[in-house]
Structure formats: structure tokens, C-alpha cells
Amino acid sequence: MKEFNNTDILIFGGGILGCYLGAKLQESGYKTLIVEKNSGEIHESPRTVTLNNFSKNLLIDFDSTIFNLVEKHSVQQMKVFDFEGTGKILFDCIDANLKQLNYVVSHADLLSSLRKKAHDLILFENSIQKLNEKNDAIEVQLASDELIRAKLIISCESNNLKLLEFSGLNLRKREYEQTALVGLVESSCPQADQTAHQIFSDFGILALMPFRKSQNRNKFICSMVWSIPNNLIKDFATGEEFVDKFLPAMEEKLSFDIKLLSKSGLQSYSLYAHHAQNYFDHSTLLIGDAAHAIHPLAGQGINLGFADIDSLLYQLINKDDFIDASKLKILMKNFSRERHLQNEIMLQSMNAFVSIFESKNLYTKFLRNFGLKQVNKKKFLKNFFVEQASGPNKFLNKLFR
């Protein structure tokens, strides 16, 4: 009979969060393995991630070369517009006493760097075949027939149905009925190298984030995420056709030229939100995308995942507690309580934003524009929103630790 490979922690999902977590756990003295369903090949992509200052600092503290070497660009300002009115908000890092609001980072670069750090831990092109709970451990048979015994399983990947069924952890899901188009565009905005733009309209939420210099003078390349109602985009054969139709209206509203870079290749995916009612059961823990998914309009998805990992590592600081099954269960419950509340607050906030800007009611549109103007006049309110987007709530962290 084939022998079990014994490990402390088995992680499912070898993406950015899974590799970062695996490398950090191994560094902390935990024997760790990562199971990744795809191959180790990373393709060139227009996809970017937005890292807030908290996530950036975690990466620098872990290995400064990772953050220093990836392609990235800082954001100093963010302008938010309502397409049908004059309401707008300007968020500025100087007002919030910050060097930058966030960083726009190449997804492929960051994933590649973290996979190099965790490479020896990753079992590529593999998945769950069977799961069995036995003597305070989980016995896992992989599709490759490899047998692994672990005290704790952590899922970083969304929709791992076998793990969800095994653990009994349930997800509350909301379909946004939207499709996100992701690509790179060239902007003629004079402040495009430091300013992000977000505009809400009946034909979707367009976000432009500064990313890299263009070869063309007085132009800058931005990462584009366009969240589009499904009932609108379904009438177009391709995403490029949709962009060709509606981009001129956005250019007129923003008062600068925007050109889609055909070489970047548009990517698309359906938008939904989900949140697990609980993060831990049957020695299985959900973090990142496995536990929660959020609308991309605030760029907070990956940052919530990094905050999850920071909280988890705090709970696992003492390995003696990990060895004791009853103490481990308490630690994971503590983690679940701390992060569930903060993630729920962010999730419901984003749902409220989406609902308000989806509304076609004239009174709602009027109040929406009025609200944007009033918030823009209140520096303390703007700084409050910037602080909430910059990292975990310090008060709530202290409350639960």
C-alpha cells in the first residue's frame, strides 16, 4: 500500500495568495504543500491587480525583491465621476498623508515571482480525488494517486466543490448580472501617469488605472476594467465591438482620448459576489477567493486576501498550539470571527455602491450626484474612505486579538 506524505498544512490553489501563504508558512516552520490544478506555465496577460499599502508592505517585509522587480505603477489620485451628472470626487494621497493611494501591479509578474519562492512546495496539474477525516487529520488522495495526510487544509481557490462539500461550509452568492472586460488602453490624459479614473454610467462602470509609460509621447498606458450589464453586452459579438461603440462617449465625458491596445487582447469574466457563512470546519479553512468574492470596482479583492493571511499567520505564531487539535480549532475560530466581520463590511459596502449606481430612478440619480458633490467637499470623509481601502480596520483587529 502506498504510504502517506505527512505535512502540517495542505493548501489548494497555487495563485498569488496560495504561493505567498505557502512560502510564509514554510518560512515559519510549518511543513507545507500546495496543490495547483493548472500547469506552472504563466501566459502574458493584460490583467493587473491593485495592491493597497498594507498588502504592499506585507510583500516587502517578506521579500523586498518581489515587489521591487515586478512591473508596477503608483496611483496618487483617483477621480470618480457620474456619467449623467456633474457629481465627482477627487481622492488625493497628499490629503490623506500618504505617499500613494495604491499600486497597479502586473498579475503575471507577481504570480511568477511568488511561484519561484514557493516552487518546491507546489504539486502542479493536480486536484482532489478523495478526502477522509481521521484522528485529527485529513487524508487526501490526489488525482495523481499521491496520498497526503495534513492537520489543516486551506483553500485559496474559489469553487473547489469537493472541499466545500467535505467541510460543509456554505457560500452566500449574489450574481451581479455583469461582465467585466479587462485590457490595456492608451490615454492622452495629462495626469494619466498618476491619476486613476472611475466613471459610472448606464453602459457600465469604467475604471482606468495608470500602469506603464507608452512609446508614444504624451501618452500613458492604463489598465482598464469595464463592468458591463449582461443585458447590454449580449447584443455585441465581441468585447472589442462593445468598446468601439461606447468608448467615444466615455472620452467625451472625461475630456481625453482613450485607445484600446489591440495587442493586449481583451479578457472577460462574469461578475458575482460570494461570502462563506463561516470560514472553518472539519479541519478545513477558507481564505481569499475561496471565502469571499467582491465586485472589482474598488480593487479590494486581493487585498482582503492578503489581510486574511496576515490574520491567519498571527493566529499560527505559536506552533505548539497548532499541534494540539483543540487549540488549533480555537485559533481558526478566532481567525474566522476577525476576518468575517471585516470582509462582510467591505462586501456589503460594494453591493450598496453597485445598487446605487445601477438605479435608473431619477430621484436616486439626483441624490447620487448630490452625494458625490457633498463628499468631495468633506476632506475628513474622503480620508475615511481612503483609510478603509488602505488595509484592515485597526480597531477591529485589536478587538479580536
PDB file of all heavy atoms in Angstrom, residues 81 155 205 217 255 286 319 322 336 352-353 376 384:
ATOM      1  N   PHE A  81     -16.489  59.755 -11.233  1.00  0.00           N
ATOM      2  CA  PHE A  81     -17.490  60.560 -11.932  1.00  0.00           C
ATOM      3  C   PHE A  81     -18.816  59.816 -12.036  1.00  0.00           C
ATOM      4  O   PHE A  81     -18.849  58.591 -12.118  1.00  0.00           O
ATOM      5  CB  PHE A  81     -17.045  60.863 -13.375  1.00  0.00           C
ATOM      6  CG  PHE A  81     -15.764  61.622 -13.504  1.00  0.00           C
ATOM      7  CD1 PHE A  81     -14.551  60.953 -13.465  1.00  0.00           C
ATOM      8  CD2 PHE A  81     -15.763  62.999 -13.698  1.00  0.00           C
ATOM      9  CE1 PHE A  81     -13.355  61.637 -13.606  1.00  0.00           C
ATOM     10  CE2 PHE A  81     -14.576  63.694 -13.836  1.00  0.00           C
ATOM     11  CZ  PHE A  81     -13.374  63.017 -13.790  1.00  0.00           C
ATOM     12  N   SER A 155      -8.038  26.318   1.672  1.00  0.00           N
ATOM     13  CA  SER A 155      -8.410  26.546   0.281  1.00  0.00           C
ATOM     14  C   SER A 155      -8.298  28.024  -0.044  1.00  0.00           C
ATOM     15  O   SER A 155      -8.895  28.871   0.629  1.00  0.00           O
ATOM     16  CB  SER A 155      -9.840  26.066   0.007  1.00  0.00           C
ATOM     17  OG  SER A 155     -10.190  26.340  -1.347  1.00  0.00           O
ATOM     18  N   ILE A 205     -19.513  50.388 -15.520  1.00  0.00           N
ATOM     19  CA  ILE A 205     -18.555  51.096 -14.668  1.00  0.00           C
ATOM     20  C   ILE A 205     -17.175  50.929 -15.297  1.00  0.00           C
ATOM     21  O   ILE A 205     -16.650  49.825 -15.398  1.00  0.00           O
ATOM     22  CB  ILE A 205     -18.538  50.506 -13.243  1.00  0.00           C
ATOM     23  CG1 ILE A 205     -19.943  50.498 -12.646  1.00  0.00           C
ATOM     24  CG2 ILE A 205     -17.576  51.284 -12.348  1.00  0.00           C
ATOM     25  CD1 ILE A 205     -20.063  49.655 -11.387  1.00  0.00           C
ATOM     26  N   ARG A 217       4.690  59.749 -27.307  1.00  0.00           N
ATOM     27  CA  ARG A 217       4.906  60.917 -26.465  1.00  0.00           C
ATOM     28  C   ARG A 217       3.570  61.447 -25.938  1.00  0.00           C
ATOM     29  O   ARG A 217       2.570  61.453 -26.642  1.00  0.00           O
ATOM     30  CB  ARG A 217       5.625  61.997 -27.276  1.00  0.00           C
ATOM     31  CG  ARG A 217       6.117  63.159 -26.436  1.00  0.00           C
ATOM     32  CD  ARG A 217       6.859  64.147 -27.299  1.00  0.00           C
ATOM     33  NE  ARG A 217       7.296  65.298 -26.525  1.00  0.00           N
ATOM     34  CZ  ARG A 217       7.919  66.350 -27.043  1.00  0.00           C
ATOM     35  NH1 ARG A 217       8.169  66.394 -28.349  1.00  0.00           N
ATOM     36  NH2 ARG A 217       8.286  67.346 -26.274  1.00  0.00           N
ATOM     37  N   SER A 255     -12.928  64.019 -21.256  1.00  0.00           N
ATOM     38  CA  SER A 255     -12.186  65.086 -21.959  1.00  0.00           C
ATOM     39  C   SER A 255     -10.758  64.696 -22.309  1.00  0.00           C
ATOM     40  O   SER A 255      -9.844  65.525 -22.287  1.00  0.00           O
ATOM     41  CB  SER A 255     -12.176  66.383 -21.118  1.00  0.00           C
ATOM     42  OG  SER A 255     -13.491  66.816 -20.871  1.00  0.00           O
ATOM     43  N   LEU A 286     -11.179  28.342   4.781  1.00  0.00           N
ATOM     44  CA  LEU A 286     -11.319  29.102   3.533  1.00  0.00           C
ATOM     45  C   LEU A 286     -10.720  30.486   3.722  1.00  0.00           C
ATOM     46  O   LEU A 286     -11.015  31.170   4.705  1.00  0.00           O
ATOM     47  CB  LEU A 286     -12.796  29.248   3.155  1.00  0.00           C
ATOM     48  CG  LEU A 286     -13.645  27.984   3.062  1.00  0.00           C
ATOM     49  CD1 LEU A 286     -15.065  28.346   2.644  1.00  0.00           C
ATOM     50  CD2 LEU A 286     -13.039  26.980   2.093  1.00  0.00           C
ATOM     51  N   LYS A 319       3.613  27.456  17.268  1.00  0.00           N
ATOM     52  CA  LYS A 319       3.389  26.152  16.650  1.00  0.00           C
ATOM     53  C   LYS A 319       2.909  25.097  17.657  1.00  0.00           C
ATOM     54  O   LYS A 319       2.278  24.110  17.290  1.00  0.00           O
ATOM     55  CB  LYS A 319       4.661  25.675  15.957  1.00  0.00           C
ATOM     56  CG  LYS A 319       4.385  24.537  14.973  1.00  0.00           C
ATOM     57  CD  LYS A 319       5.600  24.131  14.177  1.00  0.00           C
ATOM     58  CE  LYS A 319       5.228  22.996  13.218  1.00  0.00           C
ATOM     59  NZ  LYS A 319       6.399  22.480  12.506  1.00  0.00           N
ATOM     60  N   PHE A 322      -0.650  24.761  17.387  1.00  0.00           N
ATOM     61  CA  PHE A 322      -1.059  24.087  16.153  1.00  0.00           C
ATOM     62  C   PHE A 322      -1.092  22.581  16.349  1.00  0.00           C
ATOM     63  O   PHE A 322      -1.961  21.888  15.823  1.00  0.00           O
ATOM     64  CB  PHE A 322      -0.085  24.454  15.028  1.00  0.00           C
ATOM     65  CG  PHE A 322      -0.368  23.775  13.719  1.00  0.00           C
ATOM     66  CD1 PHE A 322      -1.306  24.302  12.847  1.00  0.00           C
ATOM     67  CD2 PHE A 322       0.284  22.599  13.357  1.00  0.00           C
ATOM     68  CE1 PHE A 322      -1.574  23.680  11.640  1.00  0.00           C
ATOM     69  CE2 PHE A 322       0.020  21.976  12.158  1.00  0.00           C
ATOM     70  CZ  PHE A 322      -0.919  22.521  11.297  1.00  0.00           C
ATOM     71  N   SER A 336     -11.642  33.239  11.981  1.00  0.00           N
ATOM     72  CA  SER A 336     -12.900  33.357  11.245  1.00  0.00           C
ATOM     73  C   SER A 336     -13.722  34.541  11.738  1.00  0.00           C
ATOM     74  O   SER A 336     -14.279  35.310  10.939  1.00  0.00           O
ATOM     75  CB  SER A 336     -13.699  32.056  11.372  1.00  0.00           C
ATOM     76  OG  SER A 336     -14.845  32.079  10.551  1.00  0.00           O
ATOM     77  N   ALA A 352     -23.771  47.886  -1.998  1.00  0.00           N
ATOM     78  CA  ALA A 352     -24.562  49.114  -1.924  1.00  0.00           C
ATOM     79  C   ALA A 352     -24.168  50.075  -3.033  1.00  0.00           C
ATOM     80  O   ALA A 352     -25.035  50.684  -3.686  1.00  0.00           O
ATOM     81  CB  ALA A 352     -24.375  49.774  -0.558  1.00  0.00           C
ATOM     82  N   PHE A 353     -22.861  50.223  -3.279  1.00  0.00           N
ATOM     83  CA  PHE A 353     -22.384  51.095  -4.356  1.00  0.00           C
ATOM     84  C   PHE A 353     -22.937  50.635  -5.701  1.00  0.00           C
ATOM     85  O   PHE A 353     -23.421  51.445  -6.502  1.00  0.00           O
ATOM     86  CB  PHE A 353     -20.849  51.090  -4.407  1.00  0.00           C
ATOM     87  CG  PHE A 353     -20.222  52.202  -3.620  1.00  0.00           C
ATOM     88  CD1 PHE A 353     -19.620  51.942  -2.403  1.00  0.00           C
ATOM     89  CD2 PHE A 353     -20.226  53.493  -4.101  1.00  0.00           C
ATOM     90  CE1 PHE A 353     -19.033  52.957  -1.670  1.00  0.00           C
ATOM     91  CE2 PHE A 353     -19.640  54.522  -3.387  1.00  0.00           C
ATOM     92  CZ  PHE A 353     -19.037  54.260  -2.163  1.00  0.00           C
ATOM     93  N   ASN A 376     -17.191  65.213  -1.789  1.00  0.00           N
ATOM     94  CA  ASN A 376     -15.989  65.843  -2.338  1.00  0.00           C
ATOM     95  C   ASN A 376     -15.591  67.101  -1.560  1.00  0.00           C
ATOM     96  O   ASN A 376     -14.429  67.497  -1.556  1.00  0.00           O
ATOM     97  CB  ASN A 376     -16.193  66.191  -3.812  1.00  0.00           C
ATOM     98  CG  ASN A 376     -14.883  66.465  -4.522  1.00  0.00           C
ATOM     99  OD1 ASN A 376     -13.928  65.704  -4.399  1.00  0.00           O
ATOM    100  ND2 ASN A 376     -14.825  67.559  -5.264  1.00  0.00           N
ATOM    101  N   PHE A 384     -11.548  59.174   5.267  1.00  0.00           N
ATOM    102  CA  PHE A 384     -12.121  57.973   5.885  1.00  0.00           C
ATOM    103  C   PHE A 384     -12.201  56.844   4.862  1.00  0.00           C
ATOM    104  O   PHE A 384     -11.815  55.701   5.146  1.00  0.00           O
ATOM    105  CB  PHE A 384     -13.507  58.273   6.452  1.00  0.00           C
ATOM    106  CG  PHE A 384     -14.251  57.046   6.900  1.00  0.00           C
ATOM    107  CD1 PHE A 384     -13.968  56.448   8.118  1.00  0.00           C
ATOM    108  CD2 PHE A 384     -15.239  56.486   6.098  1.00  0.00           C
ATOM    109  CE1 PHE A 384     -14.650  55.304   8.530  1.00  0.00           C
ATOM    110  CE2 PHE A 384     -15.923  55.349   6.496  1.00  0.00           C
ATOM    111  CZ  PHE A 384     -15.634  54.771   7.725  1.00  0.00           C
TER     112      PHE A 384
END
